[in-house]
Every structure is written in structure tokens, then in C-alpha cells.
Amino acid sequence: QVQLVESGGGLVQAGGSLRLSCAASGRAFRWSAMGWFRQAPGKEREFIGGISWSGDELHVVDSVKGRFTISRDNAKNTVYLQMNSLKPEDTAVYYCAADRQMYGNLRYGIHDYYYWGQGTQVTVSS
């Protein structure tokens, strides 16, 4: 069982930065791949990146590549999403999620993730 709580969202001007945190409870966290997703108004939730349980595998989608990066600190049971050079189109609710599969490879599908946080709003003004 894993419980996730996101924090760090807010309002920022275009070009600014935010760091989202996802604090996890439950011993299974450190062996689970973690994903970050976002959902803009009127749009489907989309995968934007993830990190394997070991931290060795990292992936972000092309739309955020070079601007967003993901890291994890298993000692703190926390995964991070560092967002730089933010654009108005990055405005969305951001979610972290944990793969139920342990010791597995990083997966990119929304249905691969079983545990979800409540989401945190990120708003980027132009």
C-alpha cells in the first residue's frame, strides 16, 4: 500500500520555475517506479515523465524535455518534479503516481499506475 501527497504547486509567471514534491508513505514506495502526470482543463490526463524504482531510468516526454526533470530520494520517500522555463500551456493539475509493480521497468501508460496523489494545481501566467 502506498499513499501519495503532492505539494509545491502554485501560480508562477511564464519563464519561472517550480518544484513539485510527492511524499509517499508505505514501504513499497522505494521499490516502485514513479510517474508524473498532468491534466489541463478539458483534456485527458497525460503522462509527462517518470523514474524507475532505482532511479537509473528516467524519462520525460518531448513537450517538457529540457525543461522538466524528475528525481527521487528513497531515504525521504519523496519524488520530485523540477519544472523550469514554464509556459502557460503547462497550466494543469499535476499528479504523482506509483506503479503497483515492484522492481519493474519504468512504464508510461496511465493504467500502469495504481496509487495516485490528490494532485496540485500549477498555473502559469503569460
Side-chain angles (χ1 to χ4, degrees), residues 7-74:
S7 61
L11 174 64
V12 63
Q13 288 188 333
S17 298
L18 284 173
R19 188 177 79 157
L20 305 185
S21 298
C22 173
S25 62
R27 61 191 297 270
F29 163 80
R30 61 185 59 207
W31 299 305
S32 300
M34 298 295 295
W36 282 98
F37 296 77
R38 67 184 180 187
Q39 187 167 19
K43 294 187 177 181
E44 294 186 351
R45 192 172 299 188
E46 62 173 347
F47 175 80
I48 57 170
I51 187 167
S52 62
W53 68 273
S54 63
D56 290 342
E57 185 180 2
L58 175 66
H59 176 77
V60 293
V61 298
D62 287 346
S63 60
V64 304
K65 192 168 291 182
R67 301 188 298 120
F68 291 12
T69 190
I70 298 170
S71 60
R72 67 188 297 162
D73 185 339
N74 283 347

Side-chain angles (χ1 to χ4, degrees), residues 46-112:
E46 62 173 347
F47 175 80
I48 57 170
I51 187 167
S52 62
W53 68 273
S54 63
D56 290 342
E57 185 180 2
L58 175 66
H59 176 77
V60 293
V61 298
D62 287 346
S63 60
V64 304
K65 192 168 291 182
R67 301 188 298 120
F68 291 12
T69 190
I70 298 170
S71 60
R72 67 188 297 162
D73 185 339
N74 283 347
K76 295 183 179 180
N77 273 14
T78 302
V79 63
Y80 303 98
L81 176 65
Q82 178 67 45
M83 306 186 294
N84 300 325
S85 302
L86 282 161
K87 303 176 181 180
E89 51 263 44
D90 295 319
T91 294
V93 178
Y94 283 71
Y95 300 88
C96 65
D99 194 328
R100 177 167 48 184
Q101 177 177 271
M102 290 192 289
Y103 302 111
N105 295 330
L106 176 61
R107 300 196 287 182
Y108 304 163
I110 190 169
H111 299 295
D112 295 326

